[in-house]
Amino acid sequence: MHRLFAARLALVCLLPVLPLAAQPFHFPTANHSLLEKGAEEKFFVGTAGKPWTSGTFGCVRSDGRQIHEGLDIRCQRRDKKGEPVDPILATADGTVAYVSSNPSLSNYGKYIVLRHQVEGLEICSLYAHLSSIQAGLKPGQTVKAGEPVGIMGRTSNTRERISQERAHVHFELDLFINEQFPDWFKKSRPGERNDHGVWNGQNLVGLDPRLILLAQHAQGAKFSLVEFIRGQTELCRVLVREKNLSWAGRFPALLRRNPVTEKEGVAGYEISLNYNAVAFQLTPRAASEIKGAGRFQLLAVNAAEQEKNPGRHLVARAGQNWTLTSRGRDALELLAR
Ligand SMILES: [Zn+2]
């Protein structure tokens, strides 16, 4: 952090006319119809028989009860047989985190994950249902924004195949949750397979790429990913009684200062979650500030937001009160490791 600041300071001193960072994210294919007004159908692919909105990010599946954590971006180029051939492009400069080339091991089919540093924050991008992965692409390798990393396809291990007509890339922008995911998975999903180590989709929590792409287009160099994340709507606020929260270490930009813990030490964190369980604001709390004994305590629920975006089922109403559901506890358990 310190070194970065010094480097920036040096840049500012030496090159006062240098423009601010360019827009951090590129479209993952040549399809840019998202930026055309009213052209959503040219950009998004809905699920079979459903409108384009079911291909957007959010609580858009099963009448809002199920969340879709990415964008399904429509194919623009096909070969003679009608198969998609759109090149898939790295959304930003970064490194390859994971390559999953066996399509039978995931509902993502063949997929890759890249990691990027944007404003000192690590963000991952994921590209799924590929027909092929760029030859020689390996974890650790660096990639440039706009560089081809694969070819669009329709691979998946789900029983219902993706039809030619619905060919798309499933594109995610995610925050990595926890290095200890494989342990958590073993305990909380007994009998289920995890073939992807920490790069299982369940260890990545999605932000809405549509909102990010539109915001950076509208704001230009003023766009800030950190501000975008900090500006999420709170679905609920919880207290997690855990001194060492790996999320707090990984995303210090999301931490608020608390003079009490600076004096007394940290006993837990008060965490604001958005509807997809992204912990977008964390306030450390001292033992003297924590009431109650539970490891997880639900402090507040935004009922309007829960009604609007219920797909993660993190909280539920119990009579007059709200409680954390087992899914809510599960999400916190992974976060709190
Ligand atoms: Zn999708």
Side-chain angles (χ1 to χ4, degrees):
M1 200 68 180
H2 191 78
R3 208 189 293 161
L4 189 75
F5 180 70
R8 265 199 206 152
L9 201 66
L11 261 181
V12 169
C13 297
L14 294 171
L15 300 162
V17 290
L18 198 74
L20 284 169
Q23 298 183 7
F25 301 103
H26 291 228
F27 279 83
T29 73
N31 188 343
H32 295 187
S33 307
L34 180 67
L35 303 178
E36 284 169 51
K37 238 189 165 165
E40 287 88 353
E41 294 209 31
K42 289 202 306 197
F43 189 75
F44 294 107
V45 177
T47 51
K50 299 280 181 191
W52 62 267
T53 48
S54 57
T56 62
F57 177 99
C59 307
V60 295
R61 302 273 166 96
S62 310
D63 297 319
R65 293 188 307 277
Q66 207 190 333
I67 202 157
H68 178 235
E69 280 197 73
L71 307 182
D72 289 348
I73 303 173
R74 190 177 283 283
C75 155
Q76 285 186 320
R77 288 171 58 182
R78 295 176 186 269
D79 66 11
K80 277 188 208 140
K81 289 183 185 151
E83 292 299 334
V85 292
D86 306 49
I88 302 300
L89 314 169
T91 190
D93 292 351
T95 57
V96 179
Y98 187 61
V99 174
S100 185
S101 48
N102 182 345
S104 69
L105 294 181
S106 171
N107 53 7
Y108 285 141
K110 288 188 191 180
Y111 72 98
I112 56 178
V113 183
L114 306 179
R115 57 212 302 185
H116 317 277
Q117 290 291 329
V118 177
E119 296 166 45
L121 183 135
E122 185 178 82
I123 184 158
C124 298
S125 58
L126 183 149
Y127 314 77
H129 311 311
L130 306 182
S131 70
S132 66
I133 290 159
Q134 192 75 11
L137 203 74
K138 280 195 191 75
Q141 193 179 318
T142 58
V143 289
K144 284 277 166 207
E147 186 179 318
V149 289
I151 298 289
M152 188 185 284
R154 37 197 197 98
T155 56
S156 175
N157 72 354
T158 48
R159 199 176 305 165
E160 202 176 327
R161 299 288 313 276
I162 300 168
S163 67
Q164 260 192 353
E165 192 204 348
R166 290 190 60 245
H168 62 268
V169 64
H170 170 97
F171 172 60
E172 297 184 7
L173 288 176
D174 297 306
L175 301 178
F176 180 94
I177 305 177
N178 205 310
E179 293 288 349
Q180 294 182 47
F181 174 85
D183 282 351
W184 171 87
F185 190 89
K186 222 183 254 174
K187 274 188 203 134
S188 69
R189 305 277 188 278
E192 278 184 47
R193 277 178 68 163
N194 173 24
D195 296 293
H196 310 286
V198 297
W199 298 107
N200 186 310
Q202 292 178 53
N203 197 29
L204 296 167
V205 65
L207 300 165
D208 186 343
R210 178 197 197 183
L211 295 182
I212 291 176
L213 290 166
L214 289 175
Q216 69 166 19
H217 182 72
Q219 297 165 23
K222 288 198 189 107
F223 173 77
S224 158
L225 179 66
V226 169
E227 290 310 314
F228 175 87
I229 297 172
R230 280 191 193 141
Q232 298 293 301
T233 300
E234 184 178 277
L235 177 110
C236 64
R237 202 162 69 250
V238 292
L239 184 103
V240 173
R241 198 184 265 275
E242 178 67 57
K243 273 184 238 169
N244 301 310
L245 209 64
S246 63
W247 189 273
R250 183 169 294 114
F251 303 114
L254 306 179
L255 273 178
R256 294 176 79 183
R257 279 194 59 193
N258 179 2
V260 183
T261 52
E262 281 165 20
K263 229 163 72 191
E264 299 177 16
V266 176
Y269 286 87
E270 196 174 312
I271 302 175
S272 295
L273 298 176
N274 80 351
Y275 72 83
N276 192 30
V278 172
F280 65 92
Q281 183 175 278
L282 297 93
T283 309
R285 291 291 176 211
S288 65
E289 296 177 295
I290 299 177
K291 296 182 201 114
R295 176 160 153 80
F296 303 134
Q297 296 173 33
L298 185 60
L299 302 177
V301 172
N302 176 347
E305 181 63 7
Q306 170 62 16
E307 195 169 325
K308 199 171 144 201
N309 292 306
R312 275 296 294 262
H313 309 276
L314 299 171
V315 295
R317 223 190 260 276
Q320 289 295 307
N321 301 312
W322 288 94
T323 55
L324 279 166
T325 61
S326 59
R327 292 201 212 184
R329 289 178 171 275
D330 219 30
L332 291 173
E333 201 59 65
L334 177 58
L335 194 72
R337 277 181 166 258

